Amino acid sequence: MSSPREVAAVLDRFDVYVRPLRDGSFDLHASGTAVGQASGNVGAGHLTDFPRLAEMLDGPEARLTLEWCREQGGRVFAALMADKIEKLYRTALDEARSRANTLVVRINYEAQSEADLATVHEVPWELAFDRLEGQFLALWPETSICRYLRMADPEPVLKTSEAVIEATPKLLVSLAQSAGRPTLRLDEEYRRVVTASQGVEVTRLTSPGQINLVRALSAAGVSGVPYQGWHHAGHGEVDPRSMRFELVLQAQDGTEERASPAELISRFGAHRPRCAVLNVCHGGSAHGLATALAQANVPVVIGHRTKVHDRACVSFAASLWKCMAIGWPAELAIRTARMAILSRGLGSHWALPMLFVRVDDTRLNPQLPGRGKQR
């Protein structure tokens, strides 16, 4: 790992467009800030065992070593930077360095069909390891990595979430502990988020059912003072029969309640937050709520690829919101939050969070200047 240093507050972007082909290969096209364009192709054979690679990242007991992550991450990097794209990437990296900027590698892919979405989505791009620099793109202060889901009809990115931006951003923290399931450190997570989010108005919603959760987010939007951030901590799972994601909530009578992404999004309507962080298992899966919110044009969404350890969630949340509260872009905040997971000795869990963006300015409050840098 590189030694800590102040990260650059200005971002350069390097976009890689990934398109799966019928034979299992990928077409790639890349463009970078002031460096031009390049194209490439990844053969089907290079990607055949990537689904297995993603499976190995699963599970609360995953303790994959950094050596394993470097080896597999090098293969992911080679797939992402195929042919002439790597040369263009290195030019973009040099340009960013010359301006003391951070280079954000943004992976663009379309959701034209479920098969295409799953194929590209399940590749663990967050593992990408640059062997020449000896660095993971997701952990290195000079780079960051995120995803951009492209839609055929890219309708406006949540105008209502931008309509009223108060000097003091508002964050809704919803906590859903379900009876009969493993007890989570929800109180600790809430306390650490509040402590970290200095300058942000935090509201707590405990054991919310679907109706209460939607009402809380919608009422704030109707009032003209919407929540810029929504942080949800609790349980999420994939139904083994339908393979669809469900958010596990708690009904008013105390019984367990399950909500599908489609149900929640339809009820939210236009009153959705600017930034949603889902600290639940499987929230970032192909059919997860994070992915669905990104497809619904929520500007900034973070979810975990598979199962995630409770301790990882608490450390991740505290670090992430500390950075977001002082005006950092999400691409930089998530890097620091990944390092917080790594420092807890949780192996490869740092690679599970997935950042989806739909806008260039990913700060919690884009109308206010950032309030400084942090080591």
Side-chain angles (χ1 to χ4, degrees), residues 58-315:
D58 197 355
E61 300 305 320
R63 292 291 188 275
L64 302 175
T65 66
L66 277 176
E67 288 70 23
W68 181 90
C69 290
R70 290 188 186 103
E71 179 182 353
Q72 303 304 324
R75 297 175 56 240
V76 174
F77 180 90
L80 187 63
M81 303 294 178
D83 299 334
K84 297 179 180 179
I85 293 178
E86 182 177 354
K87 182 178 180 180
L88 189 70
Y89 159 76
R90 301 211 179 278
T91 301
L93 182 58
D94 287 342
E95 288 288 328
R97 280 173 169 162
S98 70
R99 295 190 292 270
N101 294 347
T102 294
L103 183 67
V104 176
V105 177
R106 190 162 61 178
I107 301 158
N108 298 252
Y109 52 99
E110 296 184 4
Q112 291 183 336
S113 71
E114 287 197 5
D116 283 354
L117 173 61
T119 298
V120 183
H121 187 92
E122 292 307 320
V123 177
W125 303 111
E126 290 74 16
L127 266 183
F129 179 74
D130 184 342
R131 289 192 175 108
L132 182 62
E133 297 286 351
Q135 301 288 348
F136 292 98
L137 302 189
L139 296 178
W140 190 19
E142 293 190 3
T143 58
S144 184
I145 192 164
C146 65
R147 298 174 179 232
Y148 188 104
L149 285 176
R150 308 189 67 82
M151 275 76 77
D153 184 15
E155 273 316 296
V157 176
L158 285 186
K159 290 181 179 178
T160 52
S161 70
E162 306 277 7
V164 178
I165 302 292
E166 294 292 305
T168 300
K170 293 176 61 181
L171 170 64
L172 177 68
V173 179
S174 52
L175 309 169
Q177 178 67 63
S178 301
R181 292 177 179 270
T183 301
L184 305 177
R185 296 178 174 86
L186 299 184
D187 287 335
E188 179 186 352
E189 184 166 336
Y190 175 75
R191 287 195 302 270
R192 292 190 62 183
V193 168
V194 171
T195 300
S197 303
Q198 298 298 316
V200 174
E201 180 184 327
V202 182
T203 299
R204 175 171 177 158
L205 184 62
T206 303
S207 299
Q210 181 173 263
I211 293 176
N212 289 341
L213 177 58
V214 172
R215 183 179 295 152
L217 286 168
S218 298
V222 170
S223 72
V225 190
Y227 289 104
Q228 281 81 54
W230 170 38
H231 180 93
H232 181 78
H235 293 284
E237 64 183 20
V238 175
D239 186 318
R241 294 166 297 180
S242 66
M243 298 306 294
R244 299 287 178 171
F245 173 84
E246 295 175 322
L247 190 65
V248 181
L249 299 170
Q250 193 173 60
Q252 290 182 334
D253 62 3
T255 60
E256 186 172 283
E257 182 177 275
R258 295 162 181 261
S260 72
E263 288 173 330
L264 283 170
I265 290 172
S266 65
R267 289 177 179 270
F268 287 161
H271 305 297
R272 302 169 216 164
R274 173 176 174 79
C275 174
V277 177
L278 303 170
N279 243 4
V280 302
C281 294
H282 304 288
S285 60
H287 301 296
L289 180 55
T291 311
L293 287 171
Q295 288 178 273
N297 269 341
V298 173
V300 180
V301 189
I302 295 173
H304 298 274
R305 168 187 297 281
T306 56
K307 295 178 182 177
V308 61
H309 199 286
D310 191 26
R311 286 192 295 134
C313 282
V314 173
S315 297

